[in-house]
Amino acid sequence: MESRKVQRLGPSTLAMTLPAAWARAQDVEKGDEVTVRESGKGTLTVTPTSARDDESEATIHGESFDADAVERAIVGQYVLGRRVIHVTAEGTLDSEHINAVYKAETQLMGLGVVEETPERITIRCSVDPEDFTLDNLLKRLENTGSTMRGEAVEALATGDPNLAQRALNRERQANKIFVLLLRLIFTAYENPNLARAVGLDDGFPLIGYRSVAKNLELTADNAEDIAEIVLEADGHTLDVDDATMRRIREFTEQVDDLTALAVRAVVERDYDLHIECRKLFAEVADLESEILSDIPEMENDRLLRIRDVLVSLQQTAEFAMRNAEIAANLALNEQSDHTTLADHTSEE
């Protein structure tokens, strides 16, 4: 960090110079335009034209990676906001690397192969940040996880493996939304001008949104775990009495209410909704142990499957409570009935 002196150029104009090293690194020269944006908390952000170029490219050298690493590298470059990704080889790309490219393409929203030669494959992302908002994507991810959870638990109750498989199939969509969220969060961090495009007034909430997205992705994984229990169980069911199954369904409904309310608290920056989440969580916190304690004696394998289902639901509730805590932090950073914020500056 370095300090720079503000100078007066006219009766109502103040100016300061740009650091020479920064200007060289960003290819900023005399006469170029830059964007100056107020980012909140008394901060101005200066963004050069080069930072607004959405045609950023990356080249992945296939000879340096095995097929799995190529796939991971493509996902990584996608998350980092690259518009165009090349996968090359010193000679001819082998079939495993080619398959890795197409496998990555199916996992990522808006990604498609636009050019292919024996030595290179070029893929391009058609996603425009202005087509999405982070808030809407968080709601979509929460809804997808909730749908998976409902299908998995219903499959347990009815012994329907097709319903469980449907829940598993949705996991790919949940992962696509999650990775797209990461892409938008990273690009908005790198380019503050995009923060407004994805629905934020400034970049402050981005770290919180990253954590919320991960928690929602983990709740989808919990639903996937329940669906896999269905497929592995004899008769594709827990084989418990109707009263226990009814309590598991009620537990699931309460967890669904909690996860949805926590995301709503995040996107609305509502501290009171965070309090409501705490009340709901207190109601479900002990349900896992209560249901287990009331189950009649049975063989260990069946009991372990029931416990695994309840643990997945309990973990989902805990992830939702983490999101509610993030919502509280975001809410407390804004003026409200609960907090008054003031910046104290010295006066001469």
Side-chain angles (χ1 to χ4, degrees), residues 30-302:
K30 180 181 178 180
D32 290 347
E33 290 189 0
V34 296
T35 299
V36 179
R37 180 169 170 265
E38 190 170 355
S39 303
K41 297 294 183 183
T43 301
L44 289 177
T45 301
V46 178
T47 306
T49 302
S50 58
R52 301 195 298 273
D53 182 7
D54 64 357
E55 292 298 323
S56 59
E57 299 187 19
T59 298
I60 298 168
H61 302 285
E63 63 273 7
S64 303
F65 299 110
D66 61 23
D68 289 341
V70 166
E71 181 184 340
R72 292 194 300 271
I74 292 171
V75 174
Q77 294 296 344
Y78 175 92
V79 166
L80 291 170
R82 312 300 182 204
R83 180 70 75 174
V84 178
I85 304 170
H86 307 284
V87 179
T88 66
E90 291 180 350
T92 301
L93 282 167
D94 61 41
S95 58
E96 290 183 350
H97 283 157
I98 294 172
N99 291 338
V101 173
Y102 281 96
K103 185 177 178 182
E105 179 193 19
T106 64
Q107 299 176 44
L108 304 172
M109 196 174 295
L111 200 68
V113 173
V114 294
E115 183 181 2
E116 184 173 355
T117 68
E119 301 82 18
R120 184 175 75 172
I121 297 179
T122 299
I123 46 184
R124 190 176 191 279
C125 181
S126 60
V127 169
D128 187 337
E130 295 186 3
D131 292 339
F132 304 93
T133 68
L134 294 179
D135 288 345
N136 284 338
L137 286 175
L138 288 180
K139 292 176 184 177
R140 285 177 58 183
L141 185 52
E142 188 281 324
N143 185 63
T144 301
S146 178
T147 300
M148 291 174 61
R149 192 162 48 251
E151 290 172 338
V153 172
E154 185 64 22
L156 275 177
T158 60
D160 186 349
N162 294 325
L163 201 54
Q165 189 59 55
R166 189 186 305 171
L168 289 177
N169 292 341
R170 291 187 194 277
E171 194 276 335
R172 178 176 294 181
Q173 180 65 15
N175 193 60
K176 280 187 175 182
I177 298 172
F178 170 63
V179 178
L180 177 58
L181 270 163
L182 294 186
R183 177 184 175 89
L184 297 183
I185 289 169
F186 271 84
T187 52
Y189 173 79
E190 286 289 330
N191 183 354
N193 289 322
L194 287 178
R196 290 187 184 276
V198 297
L200 301 179
D201 291 332
D202 58 66
F204 172 77
L206 289 173
I207 296 176
Y209 273 52
R210 169 65 176 84
S211 297
V212 171
K214 183 59 180 178
N215 290 335
L216 291 174
E217 191 260 347
L218 290 171
T219 64
D221 288 346
N222 287 146
E224 183 182 13
D225 291 341
I226 297 174
E228 288 176 345
I229 290 171
V230 176
L231 296 179
E232 294 170 2
D234 294 337
H236 308 298
T237 181
L238 290 180
D239 192 22
V240 296
D241 60 274
D242 291 343
T244 299
M245 195 66 238
R246 182 172 60 253
R247 291 180 70 182
I248 292 174
R249 278 175 156 166
E250 291 171 352
F251 187 11
T252 304
E253 291 173 0
Q254 288 177 290
V255 170
D256 288 344
D257 291 342
L258 178 56
T259 58
L261 188 63
V263 169
R264 184 181 160 202
V266 170
V267 301
E268 295 182 14
R269 312 284 196 275
D270 193 318
Y271 189 84
D272 291 330
L273 291 180
H274 151 262
I275 296 298
E276 290 299 314
C277 287
R278 286 196 171 278
K279 293 177 182 177
L280 278 177
F281 183 73
E283 293 175 8
V284 305
D286 298 324
L287 283 180
E288 174 195 353
S289 58
E290 290 175 4
I291 294 173
L292 280 174
S293 64
D294 292 339
I295 291 176
E297 289 189 9
M298 61 179 64
E299 61 269 21
N300 285 338
D301 287 347
R302 288 174 58 199

